[in-house]
Amino acid sequence: MDHQPARIEFAVIGHQDSWETVMQFIKGIRFGGDAKELSLNKVQETFTYIPPRKLFDIEVNSILKGKMQGAYIETFIAPDELDIKHLRKNIDKVKKACEVAARLGASVVSLGGFSSIILETANQSFTNIDNTFFTTGNTLTAAFITKGVEKACEHWEIKLEDSKMLIIGSTGDIGSACVSYFSGKVSELLLCARQPGPLQKQSHELTLKGIRHISSTSLKDLIPKADIVISVASSILENTDFDVLPEHAIVCDAGYPKNLQSNYIKNHERLFYGGMGIVTQGYEFEKNAQDILYKFCIPQVGHGCLLESVVLALENNYCAFSKGKGNITVETMMEIIAIAEKHGIKVAPLFNSSLIIESP
């Protein structure tokens, strides 16, 4: 783990989504070859005291540039501490992880999952440390979501222009980007968010633009009307919300973790994981760590948020491409996905726990 590649072009900063994943993670990436296996209780006691650090190298292949070196940095944020009570401590851990990335000399760094909060909230000015720039990766994620939905509509023969689209988490950074993209492309938007204030503001702006929509903080009022569902914020969901989901509806699980199929929707044939890209030329994590972190049914896929730093580094575009909240435009979404495709990074084939359809 002390080996350093000749040059680090990019880094990704992340955290684990469950204690089950943490246990697999620790078992697979040992800090000592003869270390004894730890119990769950022991891991839970010590996990968050581990300072952020680089755990392994990443090698990504581009059609145009060949191999590029990067690194994965773990924040060691506890999976059950991703709430407001632990916000200050977690932001401090993310900042320390950013400092690790800067010391490694990474040119551009993706902040995945919860760690993106440092650029989405009052810390918007935290966009770089010297020549290391940080991005949430939300622009590429939103672009992959929208293109995935269009691909799903084509596959299941749903006419987008005749459909009512429900966006769960519509006022968030990615949710609002999806609203912008699909405004005028669907017959009606159904918007759901936890906080009524931002939802009312969003509704007012859409009314001024003449966009047909319904907004509500009550998800169960909206789901029966939906032909297409994009779920960005699974924390809004209740166990029985999807009981009233129409059978024909397409569901894009665009949250982190991807948990609709396992926790909320059973045996729904039209559910796929959104916001995912595929590196057509391949990538490799040191010590085969992708087998632990990316247990998907198809190889070489990754979250759009993490792939954004890869794309920017391949393009030598070192900047905080995605920052703040509500700043993503349709134009920037199309810009970043076009750059990605140029290097062989495309929207993933439709899949959930199994492959649905190959990309054409």
Side-chain angles (χ1 to χ4, degrees):
M1 298 307 298
D2 294 328
H3 167 70
Q4 298 292 332
R7 184 180 179 190
I8 297 288
E9 293 282 357
F10 70 93
V12 295
I13 293 174
H15 60 86
Q16 305 312 304
D17 58 13
S18 69
W19 283 114
E20 180 183 2
T21 306
V22 168
M23 293 300 291
Q24 295 171 350
F25 187 72
I26 289 177
K27 184 177 181 180
I29 303 173
R30 317 271 303 180
F31 293 103
D34 57 352
K36 293 182 179 180
E37 188 169 333
L38 298 174
S39 67
L40 174 60
N41 287 340
K42 190 65 176 177
V43 169
Q44 289 176 328
E45 287 175 7
T46 60
F47 188 76
T48 60
Y49 291 99
I50 303 173
R53 56 173 289 176
K54 189 201 87 168
L55 288 185
F56 45 80
D57 301 324
I58 308 171
E59 185 176 85
V60 177
N61 290 321
S62 159
I63 290 174
L64 295 180
K65 296 189 68 173
K67 295 180 179 180
M68 185 178 69
Q69 302 293 334
Y72 174 80
I73 298 166
E74 174 63 38
T75 56
F76 293 97
I77 292 174
D80 52 5
E81 292 186 356
L82 299 174
D83 53 45
I84 194 68
K85 292 186 298 182
H86 305 280
L87 184 61
R88 182 172 296 181
K89 179 178 76 172
N90 289 340
I91 286 179
D92 184 58
K93 293 205 110 183
V94 175
K95 285 186 175 181
K96 288 179 179 176
C98 291
E99 291 167 0
V100 171
R103 288 197 299 271
L104 288 171
S107 299
V108 60
V109 182
S110 284
L111 298 165
F114 171 84
S115 64
S116 65
I117 194 171
I118 201 168
L119 285 177
E120 290 180 356
T121 59
N123 296 282
Q124 289 181 30
S125 60
F126 192 80
T127 57
N128 67 288
I129 299 175
D130 298 326
N131 294 320
T132 296
F133 291 85
F134 304 99
T135 180
T136 65
N138 287 348
T139 309
L140 186 57
T141 298
F144 281 155
I145 290 169
T146 56
K147 293 305 178 184
V149 167
E150 290 175 340
K151 184 187 295 187
C153 286
E154 182 178 354
H155 174 63
W156 281 300
E157 298 181 342
I158 293 285
K159 289 185 177 180
L160 195 63
E161 64 272 20
D162 296 334
S163 300
K164 295 182 178 182
M165 174 179 285
L166 169 60
I167 300 177
I168 303 170
S170 66
T171 59
D173 198 34
I174 295 173
S176 60
C178 292
V179 170
S180 296
Y181 184 86
F182 286 111
S183 290
K185 291 184 172 69
V186 297
S187 68
E188 187 173 43
L189 288 169
L190 310 173
L191 309 176
C192 185
R194 186 187 298 277
Q195 300 297 329
L199 192 59
Q200 289 170 5
K201 180 181 177 182
Q202 184 177 60
S203 177
H204 177 68
E205 291 171 352
L206 290 173
T207 298
L208 293 177
K209 295 176 182 177
I211 302 298
R212 186 179 175 189
H213 69 283
I214 299 173
S215 61
S216 175
T217 56
S218 174
L219 189 53
K220 269 196 173 174
D221 292 343
L222 300 176
I223 285 184
K225 303 179 176 72
D227 302 301
I228 304 166
V229 179
I230 299 175
S231 179
V232 179
S234 59
S235 60
I236 296 175
L237 307 180
E238 301 291 341
N239 288 334
T240 60
D241 282 338
F242 280 97
D243 290 352
V244 290
L245 177 71
E247 186 176 343
H248 74 276
I250 292 171
V251 180
C252 172
D253 184 352
Y256 178 81
K258 311 294 186 191
N259 63 0
L260 296 192
Q261 189 181 48
S262 57
N263 292 352
Y264 299 99
I265 307 176
K266 307 297 182 184
N267 303 317
H268 189 75
E269 294 182 358
R270 297 188 174 191
L271 180 147
F272 74 97
Y273 294 161
M276 307 294 291
I278 185 165
V279 183
T280 61
Q281 302 303 297
Y283 66 81
E284 184 176 355
F285 288 6
E286 184 185 6
K287 299 184 183 296
N288 296 318
Q290 67 265 34
D291 295 337
I292 304 166
L293 297 180
Y294 278 82
K295 287 193 172 182
F296 297 118
C297 66
I298 53 176
Q300 309 304 336
V301 297
H303 294 92
C305 59
L306 301 182
L307 290 173
E308 186 169 292
S309 64
V310 174
V311 170
L312 293 170
L314 286 168
E315 197 68 6
N316 298 322
N317 184 7
Y318 307 133
C319 66
F321 193 86
S322 302
K323 61 183 185 295
K325 188 175 180 180
N327 294 325
I328 300 174
T329 65
V330 174
E331 290 73 24
T332 56
M333 289 164 63
M334 295 306 98
E335 177 187 355
I336 194 68
I337 201 169
I339 295 171
E341 289 176 350
K342 184 170 70 172
H343 290 279
I345 299 175
K346 302 179 179 182
V347 61
L350 295 181
F351 74 99
N352 41 55
S353 59
S354 60
L355 180 65
I356 299 170
I357 183 174
E358 292 277 4
S359 292

